[in-house]
Amino acid sequence: MFVKICGLSTAADVAAAVEAGADAVGFVLTESPRRVEPELARELAAAVPEEVLTVAVFREEPAAYVREAVRATGLRAVQLHGNHPASAFAELSDLNVPLIRATSAAAAAGADSGDFGEDLLLLDAPVAGAGEPWDWSELGSKPPAGKWVLAGGLNPANVAAAIAAAAPWGVDVSSGVEVRRGVKDPALIAAFLRAAKSAESAESAESA
């Protein structure tokens, strides 16, 4: 199970995510309580081992800004959140990094990963970043083809149930591992990763 911990803003947060086994860590470079400046993102990402994907998160910024920020930070993937057209992903293809399309499950109903030229599709709650659980089972009957990630309202207590209901390739969390908006808790990060990875193990054992 691919697990991304998003909205990191301190060296302690990054260390906690990496040590707990995160597959990817996200740095928000758009307007948000979790926003970090490119200089800080570069500093934090420098401590992340190569096998852990570092993701620059944007929301409807111009391609020129995205390109400049990625080159300044050295982050190794781009996540475009919101209603970006396929042309936005085509414009950024020259960066030669994985592109993640993040949108609400409702807006992407019937979509498959790669429809817009993205490498990975992330399906979020109706209100991104609110931390409110939603009906993940809607995806279980007809999940997207290809690699896709479930997000929105996940936390250590419900991620196993969400994985069982929707059968995603990966999961993403931000507010669900926070003690308050924008402030991560290392214990919650570790608990989330244990729950997500254990859920995958249980699912594999059942299908064996």
Side-chain angles (χ1 to χ4, degrees):
M1 180 62 56
F2 175 91
V3 181
K4 173 170 165 274
I5 308 295
C6 202
L8 302 181
S9 59
T10 70
D13 293 344
V14 172
V18 171
E19 288 169 12
D23 300 286
V25 290
F27 303 95
V28 178
L29 300 175
T30 190
E31 190 60 37
S32 164
R34 304 174 182 92
R35 185 180 188 274
V36 294
E37 295 298 325
E39 295 78 10
L40 178 56
R42 183 179 185 87
E43 180 183 326
L44 295 174
V48 178
E50 285 188 13
E51 64 269 20
V52 178
L53 191 64
T54 53
V55 183
V57 180
F58 303 93
R59 177 184 286 277
E60 298 176 7
E61 278 81 14
Y65 172 79
V66 172
R67 186 177 287 104
E68 180 181 351
V70 170
R71 288 173 175 163
T73 58
L75 298 179
R76 300 193 294 273
V78 167
Q79 178 175 314
L80 299 184
H81 219 300
N83 296 317
H84 291 272
S87 59
F89 296 88
E91 259 190 289
L92 296 171
S93 61
D94 64 306
L95 286 173
N96 294 316
V97 299
L99 300 178
I100 303 169
R101 176 163 70 110
T103 185
S104 72
D112 291 325
S113 182
D115 281 352
F116 281 31
E118 76 274 20
D119 299 284
L120 187 61
L121 175 64
L122 185 151
L123 297 182
D124 208 341
V127 181
E132 295 295 328
W134 53 289
D135 188 3
W136 306 297
S137 64
E138 296 174 0
L139 296 167
S141 58
K142 191 181 178 184
K147 293 180 178 179
W148 71 279
V149 171
L150 180 67
L154 299 178
N155 59 54
N158 67 19
V159 65
I163 290 170
W169 176 79
V171 290
D172 181 290
V173 68
S174 185
S175 58
V177 293
E178 292 178 343
V179 290
R180 60 183 183 277
R181 184 60 64 91
V183 180
K184 298 291 189 286
D185 182 331
L188 289 176
I189 290 173
F192 184 89
L193 276 150
R194 282 196 304 272
K197 300 288 187 179
S198 297
E200 177 189 35
S201 298
E203 187 175 286
S204 298
E206 288 176 5
S207 60

